[in-house]
Amino acid sequence: MRVKLEPETAFVGKKFAYIFLGVIFSLNAITFIWFFYSLT
């Protein structure tokens, strides 16, 4: 049971990591663009 469950949890973790990185990257991009526009 544990062997069967491990790949599934690893796949969910990788999926969650990609979503988490995507959210952080998009938030950083929005903040950088807002900061750049506020300077000009």
Side-chain angles (χ1 to χ4, degrees):
M1 195 127 183
R2 188 180 274 176
V3 180
K4 197 180 179 186
L5 239 146
E6 259 179 13
E8 217 171 296
T9 50
F11 176 73
V12 171
K14 191 185 264 189
K15 200 176 180 183
F16 181 75
Y18 275 122
I19 291 165
F20 188 69
L21 282 170
V23 168
I24 287 175
F25 184 75
S26 57
L27 278 173
N28 281 339
I30 289 163
T31 309
F32 181 75
I33 289 162
W34 174 79
F35 182 72
F36 184 74
Y37 272 111
S38 65
L39 277 174
T40 53

